[in-house]
DNA sequence: AACGCATAAGTAAGAC
DNA sequence: GTCTTACTTATGCGTT
């Protein structure tokens, strides 16, 4: 009985949970909207949204992690015989 | 010059934008964490998380349903050349 | 060594993988183009594309509905400790 | 009457269109599945999927475009006072 | 620790 | 030409 899923419970308890989550998701959605607004405003001021996103994502990433990833990409590209930089494979 | 991407700008302006977004994303992340907590707590109280998610998603779906239906009606009306809103076909 | 990402490998193997994927993506793109063509042709025959999309999406939705319902049932059955498939609870 | 949306038509014609599209979408979905399989298989052989995706996307991107984007990012990062490379700002 | 799922980001197409 | 909406891709989370 202990490892049994709860099938009898106060409905009020369930409703409380559901509503708490829905409330939070609502807030989350609101903030997501705010973010979009900031981007839109930035765009209006002449900024490039795509680049903005990239920059923000770069700031988020740990520098080491970033470097590791890049060097890994280089390995793969090299394996494919593709130039990593301009002065590449003759 | 008009269709040129902005490459010279007040650094402060860019920084402000970036920081506003980062701030908002921080908040969003916090709320996402809160949601997780609620689920975890519910689980601790014997609820089945998978079902909880289903229930919440169903409620959301139901809410969207009406909206979807209405937009559907609009599409058909428009397709029939009928006015969707008041200020219609003169 | 076991938890190490593969950095040394047969170049041919990598190339094969990459080319297979690129080939498949090419096919996918072609089909997407075909779909666009069908819509264009339909439009040429006087059909309303927007409605066509709605209709197709509705048919898809209906198809998914049954599946969703079934998976819902599975979830509840599982939650009740009941077997979803044949080789169930000892 | 000419610019009127078609509301009377051979049902067979509509059905044909819808089915052609559904058929094509089915094929597209299948191919998407195939692609996933290739990635999965590659993973099984020790490749890093994330990097694979990046590499493929890099191959797709025109070299010039890539360079432009990167230099733009550098501009933004510099504006934020962030180092572009290791031997950066003072 | 790996897998698959679910959400979130990014991109591309279509409508107004 | 802008703006929104839909689709695709990518990352992260929870589960096994």
């Amino acid at each position: 009985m202990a490892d049994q899923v709860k099938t009898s419970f106060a409905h009020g308890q369930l409703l409380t949970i559901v509503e708490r989550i829905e409330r939070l998701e609502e807030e989350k959605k609101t903030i997501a909207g705010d973010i979009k607004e900031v981007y839109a405003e930035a765009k209006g001021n002449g900024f490039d949204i795509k680049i903005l996103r990239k920059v923000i994502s770069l700031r988020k990433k740990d520098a080491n992690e970033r470097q590791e990833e890049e060097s890994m990409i280089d390995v793969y590209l090299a394996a494919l015989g593709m130039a990593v930089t301009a002065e590449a494979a003759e």
Side-chain angles (χ1 to χ4, degrees), chain A residues 28-70:
Chain A
K28 191 149 71 85
K29 199 175 166 186
T30 301
I31 292 176
D34 291 347
I35 292 173
K36 280 185 68 174
E37 273 182 46
V38 177
Y39 276 116
E41 183 191 324
K43 183 179 185 177
N45 287 329
F47 290 95
D48 183 313
I49 291 186
K50 190 176 173 181
I51 305 294
L52 272 181
R53 288 188 190 280
K54 278 239 161 86
V55 167
I56 287 168
S57 120
L58 282 177
R59 279 167 64 99
K60 192 158 31 179
K61 258 187 195 166
D62 173 71
N64 294 333
E65 182 192 352
R66 181 155 76 240
Q67 198 141 334
E68 270 183 41
E69 184 179 293
E70 277 168 21

Side-chain angles (χ1 to χ4, degrees), chain A residues 5 10-11 16-18 26 41-42 44 57 60 64-65 69 72:
Chain A
V5 165
H11 291 177
T16 301
I17 291 166
V18 168
E26 198 58 36
E41 183 191 324
S57 120
K60 192 158 31 179
N64 294 333
E65 182 192 352
E69 184 179 293
M72 184 107 269

Side-chain angles (χ1 to χ4, degrees), chain A residues 15-33:
Chain A
L15 189 59
T16 301
I17 291 166
V18 168
E19 284 176 346
R20 278 172 71 196
I21 291 171
E22 286 176 344
R23 178 77 211 292
L24 288 167
E25 284 186 345
E26 198 58 36
E27 288 180 35
K28 191 149 71 85
K29 199 175 166 186
T30 301
I31 292 176

